[in-house]
Amino acid sequence: MRHGVRTIKSKFNIWAILSLIFIAIILIPNGLIAVNVFTESNENWQHIKEYLLKEYITNTVILISFTALFSMMIGVSLAWFVTMFEFPFRRFFKWALILPLAIPPYIGAYAYHGLINYTGIIQSKLRNDFDVTVNQDYFSIMNNQGAIFIFSIFLFPYVYTITKAFLQNQSSSIIENARLLGSSSFETFFRVILPISRAAIVGSVTLVVLEVLNDYGVANYFGIQTFSTAIFRTWYGMKDLDSALKLAGALMFLVIFILVLEKVSRGRRRFSFSTTKVRPIQPKKLKGVKAWLLAGYCFTVFGVAFLIPFTQLLYWAFLTFESVFSSEFIQLIYQSVFIASIASILIVIIALIIGNYTRLHKSLLTSLISRVTTLGYSIPGAAIAISIITIFVALDGYLADLYRTLQIEPVIILRTSLVMLVSAYIIRFLAIGYNAVDAGYEKMGNTFTEASRTLGFSTVKTFFKVDLPMMKPAIFGGFILVFIDVLKELPLTLFLQPFNFATLATQAYKYANDERVHEAALASILIIIVSGIFIFVSHKLLEKEPA
Amino acid sequence: MFVQIKNLQYQYKNSTEPVLKDFSLSIEQGEIITILGESGSGKSTILRLLSGLETPKSGSITINNHLIFSGHHVMPPEKRNVGMVFQDYALFPHMTVEKNIKYGLKKMNRREKQKRMEEMLELINMTNYKNRYPYELSGGQQQRVALARALAPAPSLLIFDEPFSNLDANLQIKIRDELRGILKKTGITSIFVTHDQADAQAIADRVVFIEKGVIKQVGKPEEVLGCASLVMWANS
Ligand SMILES: Nc1ncnc2c1ncn2[C@@H]1O[C@H](COP(=O)(O)OP(=O)(O)OP(=O)(O)O)[C@@H](O)[C@H]1O
Ligand SMILES: [Mg+2]
């Protein structure tokens, strides 16, 4: 008996307490949404359910299904070509094909709309030089198909990078065996490559789908009714928090369904890389037409998904530079960097604490904790935003009572402060920081920590003297990843930012929605360049890492 | 007895069978003990229980008349004063040899630390290497630095988990003779874990042969080894 008490006490150390607090912060908003599903509904919700819900579901499902299909086709084919074949400019495309990830889909949507609408360069050229006026119906991308196009070309790199990494870690013997058995490259692809990379493909396509569900910017700009746009309209337009929460609940069901689907379709194979890499796959040298065909395909994708929108935005940015670049714009950059830094630092600290706890105490509780930590990333921004605002409104209510009873004057209102926005970022992006930090812990192992403890240092002191210095690369990597994501973030920032606050992302959104897409370019291009540089650098670092 | 281990029981959380059911052992001051056993027999587990990195289910451990574990009293590793040399040495890669050795000397002042560090370097014959980083050392040198680091705080008990397994055969023989010399010179009580009978023979005052967490035989190396080799041969 006494022993039992002792074990519990030794487990509930400072790491455990902090970890549990952070986990609670993540779970409470989700719990709120779940509970709200079962509360009594108002008339508004009846109306939504009867007339609108079907459209939201249909649109959302169409968007995610087709985007999943197309991004998979593009991503997997490119990953296959780049790992299996040697063709002109292969080394360049290897990293260049990740670059579209630097363009957030909503910014890509602005660029493409501006490019092909009535006043855009394509139609102007046709009108002025060739005297052709086209049917506007064919030249609009502000519909479901357009959104699918935008999502597919800017999100396929998830599939591409993950599948490519998986294939590169496979031993060449798998492929060679298939070749020896007389399969052509094409057959090998369908009979060997596709089946073995199933888990990687399914996992990465799931990421794409979650990104589409998270989207607000594209759907709103194109006027498509999805869950995300509906949640915000119900809340802002109708001032009906309750129904908005119910919509978020429905959206969460969809997310859960997708996550279950992922689990099932992954198959029994785990999404793991074979670590004992004997001999990496040697790309097969292609000659002549075939080689140039592959190069041409890669170039087309690169052009459509990066070069064209990037050039267009760059051009607009120059065009509008003088009118847009002002002291307010500098203020904007400052605020973006400031909020992204704060959020990233907090996230990395939280990830370090939870990661340290879960690695030092392996148990059911800790594996549950690490699951919950990575949960936030699956939850669409709209759902997080709505539950966070509900919580903060309630919190302000309690605090107001408290101030009144204590009769203190400077009343702090959380709802209009950055605290709310930063909490939302933490919930959504903790998974990213945690994965980076956890990989760092994994790589470091526990023996250094154990050595330090046998030399007389507690876990806390060991953390600062040994763990932290050794984790520097992982910490830096996690920080950058989160920073970039916060910088690009739209839905949470848009709806939770205090009214005298804006970021590059929300400013770009505002310009674009005011039909001033050219002015949106400068903020957009800054986001793209910062993300692009990071992608380039991290690719170089990964490539350099010895196998 | 200097070290008294009584009736230790231990089971890993995710396994169905206990690794140790009833493990007891007494060690005299200054004695060098070798725990010999096959892979998976529970050798590392015993060391982890002694150092406090795992907590036994029941039993007790006393070192130098200090109770470091009993059912209701668990002393954390940092308070036990048990030094450990790890199989892969675990030298802190971001610290020089000097910093590594000084790491555990937290109660001393600067001058004392410096003196102790130099003593240790002298002992392991590596006075010229104090500014090197671990990755700039050979395997044998790293091993010796790991020993120096563990010895520096003058632990009451020093334990080694397969300290030679990362060294090539020639070096292994040279180092283990040297090591016995160093240990005897300092008079420290120590426990070695190995599955190599030659190691056990060369280093130990007394050999403890275990199988599946149970002591099969204890005694002078020459008494135990014949029996142990027979068992290990039969099982292989
Ligand atoms: N973390 C763990 N979780 C579950 N079981 C473990 C764990 N570590 C060890 N075991 C099991 O406990 C038993 C004893 O392991 P231990 O590491 O003590 O053996 P060992 O004698 O040191 O072996 P080796 O010579 O291979 O190092 C083994 O059966 C092993 O599978
Ligand atoms: Mg072992």
Side-chain angles (χ1 to χ4, degrees):
Chain A
M1 267 331 281
R2 273 159 139 189
H3 175 63
V5 173
R6 182 67 218 187
T7 324
I8 289 169
K9 199 174 157 228
S10 67
K11 250 186 211 160
F12 278 78
N13 50 32
I14 181 83
W15 304 99
I17 293 165
L18 289 175
S19 298
L20 289 172
I21 292 174
F22 298 138
I23 289 301
I25 293 177
I26 297 178
L27 280 180
I28 289 169
N30 293 302
L32 183 76
I33 293 177
V35 167
N36 206 270
V37 170
F38 302 104
T39 56
E40 221 172 295
S41 54
N42 56 21
E43 258 173 54
N44 230 336
W45 175 247
Q46 290 303 333
H47 175 81
I48 292 172
K49 209 165 82 179
E50 222 159 292
Y51 301 104
L52 302 172
L53 196 59
K54 210 174 128 208
E55 190 193 349
Y56 303 154
I57 295 177
T58 319
N59 280 340
T60 306
V61 168
I62 287 176
L63 290 184
I64 59 179
S65 321
F66 283 99
T67 304
L69 181 71
F70 291 129
S71 60
M72 183 172 78
M73 280 164 38
I74 303 172
V76 173
S77 62
L78 287 173
W80 178 45
F81 293 152
V82 161
T83 22
M84 297 297 160
F85 304 106
E86 181 69 60
F87 55 86
F89 303 111
R90 169 173 167 269
R91 290 179 65 84
F92 166 75
F93 286 126
K94 237 175 143 177
W95 66 268
L97 288 168
I98 314 174
L99 276 183
L101 218 51
I103 306 182
Y106 60 89
I107 288 176
Y110 307 154
Y112 265 102
H113 176 63
L115 197 68
I116 65 179
N117 70 3
Y118 189 73
T119 52
I121 182 157
I122 295 180
Q123 289 204 39
S124 312
K125 198 115 198 120
L126 286 175
R127 260 198 318 275
N128 300 339
D129 296 357
F130 303 96
D131 208 24
V132 181
T133 311
V134 295
N135 183 343
Q136 291 305 311
D137 287 349
Y138 294 120
F139 263 69
S140 168
I141 59 162
M142 296 194 127
N143 47 35
N144 276 347
Q145 293 91 303
I148 291 166
F149 167 75
I150 293 290
F151 286 135
S152 302
I153 62 169
F154 293 114
L155 295 176
F156 83 84
Y158 282 112
V159 183
Y160 165 72
T161 42
I162 292 173
T163 311
K164 177 172 74 89
F166 177 83
L167 287 177
Q168 278 175 348
N169 275 282
Q170 297 305 307
S171 158
S172 63
S173 55
I174 298 175
I175 312 297
E176 278 160 9
N177 269 337
R179 279 194 196 141
L180 287 178
L181 292 171
S183 304
S184 66
S185 296
F186 206 62
E187 270 177 300
T188 313
F189 176 73
F190 283 100
R191 292 182 42 192
V192 181
I193 307 276
L194 221 46
I196 61 164
S197 15
R198 181 161 127 194
I201 296 171
V202 170
S204 57
V205 170
T206 305
L207 281 180
V208 171
V209 168
L210 292 175
E211 282 293 329
V212 176
L213 285 180
N214 178 55
D215 169 77
Y216 171 77
V218 176
N220 177 64
Y221 189 59
F222 284 3
I224 300 169
Q225 304 303 329
T226 62
F227 270 109
S228 292
T229 56
I231 288 171
F232 286 131
R233 196 152 22 79
T234 311
W235 160 28
Y236 260 32
M238 307 187 205
K239 302 269 177 259
D240 185 356
L241 255 178
D242 210 53
S243 298
L245 266 176
K246 280 202 158 42
L247 274 173
L251 178 55
M252 296 279 278
F253 267 114
L254 194 60
V255 170
I256 291 168
F257 175 74
I258 284 160
L259 293 181
V260 170
L261 200 67
E262 182 200 7
K263 269 257 165 331
V264 174
S265 49
R266 261 184 182 195
R268 250 179 308 152
R269 263 185 83 101
R270 288 210 33 221
F271 179 11
S272 67
F273 299 84
S274 61
T275 42
T276 48
K277 171 158 118 182
V278 197
R279 214 153 24 97
I281 292 170
Q282 289 301 317
K284 188 172 140 188
K285 217 172 168 73
L286 289 184
K287 282 202 191 97
V289 182
K290 270 191 187 167
W292 285 102
L293 226 55
L294 286 199
Y297 173 58
C298 291
F299 186 76
T300 310
V301 175
F302 178 65
V304 170
F306 187 79
L307 215 52
I308 292 174
F310 183 76
T311 318
Q312 176 67 86
L313 287 168
L314 205 60
Y315 174 68
W316 288 338
F318 276 116
L319 222 57
T320 57
F321 185 80
E322 250 159 64
S323 67
V324 174
F325 193 80
S326 58
S327 59
E328 278 116 70
F329 194 82
I330 293 174
Q331 176 74 2
L332 207 63
I333 297 177
Y334 169 75
Q335 286 178 339
S336 294
V337 171
F338 172 76
I339 194 87
S341 307
I342 297 273
S344 312
I345 290 170
L346 286 175
I347 284 173
V348 168
I349 291 174
I350 294 174
L352 280 168
I353 292 171
I354 298 180
N356 201 40
Y357 174 53
T358 55
R359 87 185 166 115
L360 293 179
H361 302 264
K362 291 257 179 284
S363 71
L364 198 65
L365 177 70
T366 52
S367 57
L368 216 66
I369 287 177
S370 38
R371 282 315 284 255
V372 172
T373 309
T374 48
L375 185 81
Y377 199 69
S378 327
I379 307 165
I384 295 178
I386 198 78
S387 56
I388 282 279
I389 198 130
T390 312
I391 289 169
F392 274 80
V393 167
L395 258 167
D396 276 336
Y398 294 130
L399 284 179
D401 289 346
L402 191 72
Y403 298 136
R404 229 169 288 129
T405 44
L406 297 178
Q407 294 187 324
I408 11 179
E409 241 334 288
V411 175
I412 305 161
I413 300 172
L414 293 173
R415 198 183 338 160
T416 55
S417 73
L418 282 174
V419 177
M420 187 163 73
L421 181 56
V422 171
S423 322
Y425 285 151
I426 291 175
I427 293 175
R428 176 145 169 88
F429 296 126
L430 181 56
I432 293 171
Y434 181 77
N435 282 342
V437 164
D438 199 45
Y441 277 131
E442 184 89 1
K443 200 169 154 202
M444 177 172 77
N446 283 359
T447 37
F448 297 105
T449 312
E450 291 176 351
S452 166
R453 295 203 68 195
T454 62
L455 288 165
F457 290 87
S458 66
T459 43
V460 177
K461 286 209 177 106
T462 299
F463 179 74
F464 288 107
K465 288 178 77 93
V466 175
D467 303 337
L468 217 50
M470 286 186 67
M471 289 279 287
K472 261 186 213 152
I475 291 171
F476 182 69
F479 176 86
I480 294 287
L481 279 177
V482 177
F483 186 92
I484 300 288
D485 258 332
V486 174
L487 195 69
K488 296 195 290 193
E489 210 288 329
L490 188 63
L492 289 175
T493 321
L494 204 52
F495 289 93
L496 299 178
Q497 67 190 8
F499 79 99
N500 54 355
F501 185 90
T503 64
L504 289 170
T506 57
Q507 190 63 28
Y509 166 90
K510 231 178 111 213
Y511 277 131
N513 280 270
D514 292 348
E515 297 291 327
R516 294 165 70 190
V517 86
H518 295 192
E519 277 93 336
L522 188 59
S524 305
I525 217 84
L526 275 178
I527 295 176
I528 296 172
I529 288 174
V530 173
S531 318
I533 289 174
F534 158 72
I535 288 172
F536 179 74
V537 170
S538 61
H539 174 83
K540 286 287 152 202
L541 288 180
L542 279 180
E543 289 286 290
K544 258 206 327 222
E545 212 168 47
Chain B
M1 277 291 164
F2 189 71
V3 177
Q4 279 202 306
I5 305 168
K6 279 192 191 150
N7 313 103
L8 283 193
Q9 268 196 43
Y10 184 75
Q11 179 167 357
Y12 282 101
K13 274 193 200 86
N14 47 0
S15 77
T16 50
E17 236 187 296
V19 181
L20 301 176
K21 283 177 216 88
D22 187 21
F23 185 89
S24 302
L25 181 68
S26 303
I27 304 169
E28 276 177 48
Q29 183 149 27
E31 201 178 8
I32 303 178
I33 294 277
T34 294
I35 299 181
L36 178 67
E38 288 173 14
S39 179
S41 55
K43 306 180 297 287
S44 299
T45 307
I46 296 169
L47 295 193
R48 293 178 65 81
L49 295 177
L50 284 173
S51 59
L53 297 171
E54 311 284 349
T55 309
K57 227 162 150 182
S58 61
S60 68
I61 304 169
T62 328
I63 298 175
N64 197 10
N65 291 327
H66 294 292
L67 185 65
I68 62 168
F69 173 81
S70 71
H72 46 92
H73 171 83
V74 185
M75 199 184 262
E78 58 266 27
K79 301 244 166 74
R80 291 195 178 191
N81 203 19
V82 172
M84 185 155 177
V85 176
F86 290 78
Q87 183 171 352
D88 46 10
Y89 319 134
L91 293 174
F92 304 127
H94 59 295
M95 299 181 192
T96 57
V97 168
E98 171 175 354
K99 287 266 164 57
N100 262 287
I101 295 176
K102 281 182 178 170
Y103 186 83
L105 306 174
K106 48 181 190 170
K107 291 198 191 85
M108 298 182 178
N109 68 30
R110 235 166 187 226
R111 184 149 351 107
E112 288 169 334
K113 276 187 189 173
Q114 188 67 22
K115 192 164 155 270
R116 182 72 178 158
M117 191 269 301
E118 313 240 311
E119 270 171 32
M120 287 296 121
L121 283 177
E122 197 98 12
L123 190 68
I124 59 168
N125 242 326
M126 283 183 62
T127 31
N128 294 330
Y129 292 85
K130 66 176 182 196
N131 292 324
R132 297 262 185 111
Y133 281 92
Y135 67 88
E136 298 169 321
L137 301 174
S138 72
Q141 290 167 336
Q142 289 183 22
Q143 220 263 337
R144 281 184 281 165
V145 174
L147 171 68
R149 183 179 69 177
L151 269 176
S156 31
L157 174 67
L158 187 57
I159 60 187
F160 297 79
D161 194 352
E162 307 259 5
F164 309 123
S165 60
N166 283 339
L167 303 177
D168 65 58
N170 281 332
L171 200 57
Q172 183 174 346
I173 293 169
K174 183 170 164 276
I175 287 214
R176 76 184 176 211
D177 292 340
E178 197 179 285
L179 190 62
R180 184 174 162 91
I182 293 175
L183 294 177
K184 282 296 168 194
K185 201 150 119 197
T186 54
I188 194 162
T189 314
S190 41
I191 304 178
F192 267 88
V193 149
T194 182
H195 57 253
D196 184 319
Q197 299 178 37
D199 280 353
Q201 166 105 39
I203 275 201
D205 294 328
R206 196 150 56 105
V207 175
V208 177
F209 176 58
I210 65 168
E211 241 191 322
K212 297 210 176 98
V214 178
I215 298 183
K216 288 289 164 179
Q217 221 185 355
V218 189
K220 294 240 164 62
E222 53 277 18
E223 292 163 21
V224 174
L225 287 175
C227 162
S229 59
L230 204 63
V231 173
M232 286 171 99
W233 171 80
N235 287 349
S236 67

